[in-house]
Amino acid sequence: MTKPIIDVSKFNGRIEWPEVKPHIQRSIIRLGYRGWGARGALVVDDRFHYNVRSCIYESIPWDVYYFPQEISEGEVATAVDFICKTLSEYPEPGTIWLDSEYANGGSGRGDRISAHKRSVLLGMMRSFLENSSRKYRVGLYCSDAWFKDNINNDIAGFKNLWIARYSENPPRNTDSWELWQYTSKGELLGIKGKVDLSITKNDFELKRGLK
């Protein structure tokens, strides 16, 4: 069976990476987020450095994700600087994923802007990161429904898409997905509690073809 891709944050607690390693093909680690409240503080995930250093030590391929709540061009610039500085002591991740979804039950500062403005700001963040000194590979994470209702990708311009749809069936609002997060209830040795699992499109097509 194809090994899954996991995404993790402080909410997964202390991960025993040597136990996890044989069962995954890649990890996607939360770098941090902008707070959903009025202040919009930039915060590094409490487990980011531990998780990245562990993956590097165990030779596990890794990406990162950042949770944006930016509402202005100035905030996009400060977020990009924050991401780049946080990553500066490490090798480049495979991809930086921008995690676009509701915060705090829909009352987050970035939840109230229009789909057009959100798409402009996310596209700007993507462009700044792609054209930074390290030329990062950047992608968009969101749910299948969010992509349809809250993102205009003609404006945002993401070529790399990681789409969540908790179903036996893959995303239906775009055929251009690269990763499909198919469950939030995965179980793996080395991780206490549930963990999100994703599959690549290539692995899904192979798996489907073998049925």
Side-chain angles (χ1 to χ4, degrees):
M1 184 176 178
T2 301
K3 292 180 181 180
I5 296 163
I6 62 172
D7 59 276
V8 296
S9 71
K10 69 176 184 178
F11 299 110
N12 298 100
R14 182 181 172 88
I15 297 170
E16 300 302 330
W17 286 102
E19 295 181 32
V20 172
K21 179 180 178 178
H23 307 290
I24 65 171
Q25 59 174 290
R26 174 173 291 274
S27 65
I28 306 176
I29 298 164
R30 186 168 76 159
L31 180 149
Y33 58 93
R34 186 181 287 276
W36 57 264
R39 180 165 168 254
L42 292 164
V43 181
V44 176
D45 185 273
D46 289 346
R47 291 285 179 180
F48 171 72
H49 293 291
Y50 167 77
N51 286 333
V52 169
R53 289 168 183 164
S54 297
C55 284
I56 292 171
Y57 183 80
E58 297 293 339
S59 298
I60 299 171
W62 56 281
D63 300 349
V64 300
Y65 73 95
Y66 168 78
F67 187 83
Q69 284 282 294
E70 283 68 37
I71 58 175
S72 70
E73 294 181 10
E75 288 188 347
V76 166
T78 59
V80 168
D81 185 58
F82 166 78
I83 292 168
C84 291
K85 285 183 177 179
T86 305
L87 288 171
S88 63
E89 65 182 282
Y90 300 112
E92 292 181 36
T95 303
I96 298 174
W97 298 97
L98 303 180
D99 174 1
S100 185
E101 57 183 292
Y102 283 124
N104 195 45
S107 63
R109 63 207 306 275
D111 301 336
R112 303 166 187 165
I113 62 177
S114 68
H116 176 86
K117 184 174 183 179
R118 179 179 299 107
S119 301
V120 168
L121 295 176
L122 286 170
M124 184 178 298
M125 188 176 294
R126 172 194 57 74
S127 180
F128 285 172
L129 288 166
E130 289 176 344
N131 291 288
S132 67
S133 60
R134 298 180 86 177
K135 307 292 183 186
Y136 290 111
R137 184 179 191 269
V138 186
L140 175 69
Y141 167 88
C142 62
S143 73
D144 197 32
W146 184 270
F147 185 80
K148 177 176 179 288
D149 297 333
N150 294 290
I151 300 291
N152 182 338
N153 204 35
D154 290 337
I155 295 171
F158 286 93
K159 296 179 180 178
N160 313 306
L161 298 175
W162 172 24
I163 303 295
R165 186 182 186 212
Y166 301 153
S167 167
E168 294 183 355
N169 300 310
R172 57 186 176 184
N173 290 314
T174 175
D175 292 326
S176 299
W177 57 273
E178 174 183 335
L179 302 181
W180 164 30
Q181 187 186 78
Y182 60 89
T183 184
S184 61
K185 298 180 179 179
E187 296 182 354
L188 286 176
L189 288 175
I191 300 179
K192 295 179 181 178
K194 306 299 183 182
V195 63
D196 298 337
L197 303 180
S198 298
I199 191 171
T200 69
K201 191 167 192 177
N202 287 342
D203 285 344
F204 170 70
E205 295 292 351
L206 177 62
K207 184 177 179 182
R208 183 167 63 176
L210 293 175
K211 286 185 177 180

